Amino acid sequence: MRFCWTRPRLSYAIAILAMGYVIVGLGTVGRGLAMGSKVAIAILAAGRSTRMGKFNKLLSMFGNAPLVRLSVQHATASTGSKVIVVTGHMANEIREAVRGLNVTLVHNGAFASGISSSVRAALQAVPDDCDGVLIHLADMPLVNESHMSLMIEAFDKCRGLSVVRATAYGEHGNPVIIPRRLFRALGDLEGDRGARQVIAASGLPVIEVEIGAAAMCDVDTVEALDAAGGSRP
């Protein structure tokens, strides 16, 4: 189980480490930032929430908004150039939850086969002029627009030639930005395998952006939902 804590106060710092890794501390980035690299944001919202029992965790409420809408609102407020939402399980309800937001909806009819099918569906909707895609899991309520914008800024600083990965106190988490040169390898994944093996095999530098507990806080279980401050629909 992953637990969710309140976000700590972190200073903004950049430190270059050995083996091509960079750690970027939490900072504030707004939509006014001019960047040369375009990054689409793909929000994966197709899962079946099997560990939640009878309800879909993405429809759980955080304040006045369903979790999936909260995640999408954060993405649309970031510096991402386009937001893609991949639906699957309970697609009609997910579409209704994000109604009115400026997103591209893509349906993954093979969602039961694993997360890789949702990644493939998202890649098909990434515009040709995008240099990379930020893959974001819709069940992570603490990841906000500042986190995503900070990751996109780091990607832009490396001219779109590196992987950018969120960390929680040094531990690998989510989201992750994948440069276009890895799209083909990412699209070849099958089942529930994510991007980790593609990143490891690529040999590309990895920029690690420290965003605190947000990078590890998901709501896969009822207990995690309660800990994160959400309520059942």
Side-chain angles (χ1 to χ4, degrees):
M1 181 189 304
R2 292 177 178 175
F3 293 93
C4 304
W5 302 271
T6 56
R7 187 176 61 205
R9 183 176 60 187
L10 297 171
S11 61
Y12 183 89
I14 299 178
I16 299 178
L17 304 181
M19 300 177 66
Y21 281 69
V22 178
I23 296 179
V24 182
L26 180 63
T28 301
V29 180
R31 268 199 172 276
L33 181 68
M35 287 184 283
S37 300
K38 287 188 176 182
V39 177
I41 299 175
I43 299 179
L44 307 188
R48 292 178 290 176
S49 300
T50 53
R51 284 187 280 176
M52 280 293 192
K54 295 182 179 180
F55 69 93
N56 188 333
K57 62 185 176 182
L58 298 184
L59 300 177
S60 60
M61 299 300 293
F62 281 77
N64 295 321
L67 174 55
V68 65
R69 186 176 183 88
L70 179 67
S71 296
V72 173
Q73 285 175 324
H74 287 317
T76 57
S78 76
T79 54
S81 62
K82 181 184 182 71
V83 178
I84 301 158
V85 179
V86 180
T87 65
H89 177 61
M90 296 181 68
N92 291 337
E93 291 83 351
I94 297 297
R95 283 196 296 269
E96 182 62 28
V98 301
R99 179 192 292 272
L101 299 178
N102 185 21
V103 300
T104 296
L105 291 165
V106 178
H107 182 65
N108 172 22
F111 65 89
S113 66
I115 195 171
S116 63
S117 62
S118 289
V119 172
R120 285 195 298 274
L123 291 178
Q124 293 174 6
V126 174
D128 291 340
D129 64 347
C130 283
D131 304 288
V133 60
L134 185 152
I135 298 175
H136 179 33
L137 308 179
D139 67 343
M140 302 187 73
L142 300 187
V143 175
N144 62 35
E145 59 267 32
S146 293
H147 299 144
M148 288 183 263
S149 294
L150 185 63
M151 293 179 68
I152 293 168
E153 181 187 18
F155 185 76
D156 183 63
K157 285 182 176 179
C158 72
R159 300 181 181 179
L161 301 178
S162 299
V163 173
V164 177
R165 178 166 52 199
T167 59
Y169 315 117
E171 185 175 353
H172 297 164
N174 285 295
V176 61
I177 299 179
I178 303 295
R180 177 170 287 278
R181 64 173 60 188
L182 297 184
F183 281 12
R184 178 173 295 181
L186 198 61
D188 288 339
L189 292 174
E190 296 182 355
D192 268 324
R193 291 187 294 177
R196 183 170 299 182
Q197 70 181 58
V198 171
I199 295 170
S202 71
L204 293 179
V206 178
I207 297 176
E208 298 190 336
V209 177
E210 177 61 51
I211 66 171
M216 294 294 289
C217 178
D218 58 27
V219 291
D220 276 345
T221 65
V222 173
E223 293 78 11
L225 174 64
D226 292 341
S231 59
R232 306 176 195 186

